[in-house]
Amino acid sequence: MSHIEHLKSLYPLQGVHVVDVGAGDGIYSRQLHAVGAKVTAIEIDPRKVAKARENLPSSIQVKLGAAEKLPLSSGAADLVGMFFSLHHVPSDFQSATFREIRRVLKSSGRLHIVEPYPYGTMFDVVRMVEDETHVRTRSHQLLNGLDRDRGFELVNKREYVLTREYPTFEVFLEKIVLPDPDRTRAYDAVAAEMAATYERVAETVDGRVVLHQPCAAYHFSVAG
């Protein structure tokens, strides 16, 4: 199961304007574009914005901006997506984020948020350089309590496991740890233990070495 595959089963993406909030370097923006969506990627980190602009198709708009202050006009979007990004929004700004999302969505719009759980083999390895137990737990609590008072109604919730392939620990480091300066700084103190944890929890499935990240996808409509 992939994030975009599941979203497609809930909402037709061909030709609709999708805003990818917390887009990073654009991995999900690219996938949304590939299935026919008109995509605007929003990212707060200027380095990731530059990388996304360099690597994504030119038809994808990439904008520098924060989730709590989206650089979009009111009613501009058919769907707002946040893929593994809500828990990165500081708690003080999360209420403002939902107000902003409601502002930029059309009255017929949808909000789709996928958040990882604080467990799974992927989490077992990553938490050694960035323990997100608290922020991930809080995000799920927030989403489970999101209701009409915030302008949204839950249409669908589905739990599934995202499986990612990392053939070696070195590949895992290259993709997950080294691009992040904070994780890189934390890595030296736990290098041996982290390598041992990867070797212990990584699984071989159909000849692929993988880690698993359980998550939940929350799909909301705009409350009338």
Side-chain angles (χ1 to χ4, degrees), residues 16-212:
V16 304
H17 182 201
V18 179
V19 179
D20 182 9
V21 178
D25 57 12
I27 180 173
Y28 298 117
S29 293
R30 182 184 295 277
Q31 293 177 21
L32 288 161
H33 176 267
V35 297
K38 300 175 183 177
V39 183
T40 300
I42 308 292
E43 172 55 43
I44 196 171
D45 185 337
R47 295 169 300 175
K48 293 179 180 178
V49 168
K51 185 175 180 180
R53 285 175 174 164
E54 180 180 349
N55 295 327
L56 292 177
S58 58
S59 54
I60 296 178
Q61 279 196 308
V62 182
K63 297 188 176 186
L64 180 68
E68 69 275 12
K69 193 175 182 181
L70 296 171
L72 296 166
S73 59
S74 297
D78 296 296
L79 184 144
V80 170
M82 298 185 76
F83 302 95
F84 282 24
S85 59
L86 178 62
H87 64 279
H88 293 298
V89 177
S91 59
D92 290 349
F93 298 136
Q94 287 179 340
S95 291
T97 293
F98 287 110
R99 287 196 298 271
E100 272 293 270
I101 290 172
R102 178 63 186 86
R103 180 185 66 79
V104 304
L105 278 173
K106 297 176 181 177
S107 60
S108 58
R110 296 294 182 94
L111 168 62
H112 190 82
I113 299 181
V114 189
E115 278 290 285
Y117 283 116
Y119 52 81
T121 53
M122 182 76 174
F123 181 74
D124 289 340
V125 184
V126 174
R127 69 176 175 180
M128 303 184 74
V129 290
E130 185 177 13
D131 190 344
E132 295 182 336
T133 300
H134 175 73
V135 292
R136 294 188 185 190
T137 299
R138 187 184 186 282
S139 289
H140 285 285
Q141 291 171 341
L142 181 62
L143 290 166
N144 281 306
L146 200 63
D147 56 21
R148 295 176 66 89
D149 289 341
R150 302 246 187 168
F152 299 98
E153 292 186 37
L154 183 66
V155 174
N156 181 275
K157 176 184 176 181
R158 180 169 180 180
E159 296 178 326
Y160 55 90
V161 177
L162 184 68
T163 297
R164 292 173 170 168
E165 181 177 3
Y166 302 103
T168 65
F169 180 62
E170 287 70 28
V171 171
F172 175 85
L173 285 178
E174 181 182 343
K175 292 182 177 293
I176 302 300
V177 177
L178 299 181
D180 187 307
D182 291 334
R183 290 180 177 180
T184 300
R185 283 190 291 271
Y187 171 66
D188 287 342
V190 297
E193 185 181 0
M194 192 175 192
T197 301
Y198 166 88
E199 296 297 337
R200 175 173 56 82
V201 303
E203 299 179 33
T204 301
V205 179
D206 298 328
R208 301 163 57 238
V209 181
V210 299
L211 296 172
H212 303 295

